[in-house]
Amino acid sequence: MIDNIIQPNILKIEEGLRLRKSNENEWNCALPWYKNSEVLYYSEGITDKTYDMETIKRMYSYLSNIGELYFIEALKSNEWIPIGDVTLSQRTMPIVLGDSNYWGRGIGKKVIKKLLERAKNIGLSTIKLKGIYKYNERSKNLFKSVGFYKVSEDNREEYYEIKLNF
């Protein structure tokens, strides 16, 4: 939760695409995403291992405590299926499209735009990103395309933020 604000169960993005509040008893659906070496390389900079359920539980518990954790869901054959995750927090906005069948379709941009709308509605004025690996051009381009700008960098990462206008 963000300052005692109630997280909605569903945020509709468009027909066939939504964000749904995740429940701990279904976090196991993310296991295949975090076993994908390409997902881990771009999101975590990891090249030598994959995540197990304990790691996912620690990560999702942390993200749930600092913000609103959602599964990104797509409608397929009249059934909503989780295809990734995203968190809205003032301190970070990690997004993972874990199902590679949905890469390159503009879904990430739609998700981030929806969360920026939500951020404005709940009164957030700034969102900072923890850091994007310098080699991760896809993420840098995604966040820049919706208005984030680089505020600093170190030898590994670039740091971005966005000021939300009311």
Side-chain angles (χ1 to χ4, degrees):
M1 256 194 263
I2 301 173
D3 296 333
N4 298 322
I5 293 172
I6 304 295
Q7 179 179 353
N9 288 322
I10 303 286
L11 289 175
K12 182 179 177 184
I13 298 172
E14 66 181 22
E15 198 65 40
L17 186 63
R18 71 182 188 182
L19 301 177
R20 185 178 52 80
K21 182 179 179 179
S22 75
N23 295 309
E24 185 174 353
N25 63 345
E26 60 190 8
W27 287 353
N28 61 334
C29 75
L31 194 56
W33 309 334
Y34 291 99
K35 293 247 179 243
N36 181 322
S37 59
E38 194 172 358
V39 167
L40 281 176
Y41 176 67
Y42 284 106
S43 66
E44 308 298 329
I46 294 172
T47 58
D48 60 343
K49 65 178 182 174
T50 60
Y51 282 9
D52 59 16
M53 263 324 292
E54 270 315 302
T55 305
I56 290 170
K57 284 180 182 178
R58 279 194 310 274
M59 176 182 68
Y60 280 173
S61 293
Y62 169 75
L63 292 171
S64 294
N65 284 328
I66 66 161
E68 297 181 350
L69 172 64
Y70 294 96
F71 281 137
I72 304 164
E73 292 187 323
L75 189 60
K76 184 177 180 182
S77 302
N78 291 322
E79 184 180 341
W80 289 101
I81 59 164
I83 61 169
D85 61 61
V86 67
T87 301
L88 171 61
S89 168
Q90 285 185 287
R91 303 190 296 216
T92 190
M93 190 182 276
I95 180 171
V96 166
L97 276 179
D99 186 333
S100 60
N101 294 313
Y102 293 89
W103 293 356
R105 295 186 182 185
I107 291 172
K109 187 172 187 173
K110 292 173 185 175
V111 167
I112 297 300
K113 282 181 164 183
K114 186 63 165 181
L115 286 184
L116 292 176
E117 179 184 305
R118 167 97 178 125
K120 287 179 185 179
N121 289 341
I122 62 174
L124 298 183
S125 59
T126 304
I127 295 176
K128 298 180 181 197
L129 303 182
K130 273 192 168 180
I132 300 174
Y133 291 104
K134 288 187 173 189
Y135 58 79
N136 192 343
E137 293 299 325
R138 290 188 300 191
S139 284
K140 291 189 292 186
N141 289 336
L142 167 63
F143 284 101
K144 288 191 284 189
S145 76
V146 295
F148 281 81
Y149 54 92
K150 185 166 74 170
V151 292
S152 66
E153 66 182 277
D154 58 29
N155 60 343
R156 288 181 39 191
E157 297 177 306
E158 296 178 3
Y159 301 87
Y160 291 79
E161 71 178 43
I162 190 170
K163 304 271 189 224
L164 303 171
N165 300 324
F166 292 95

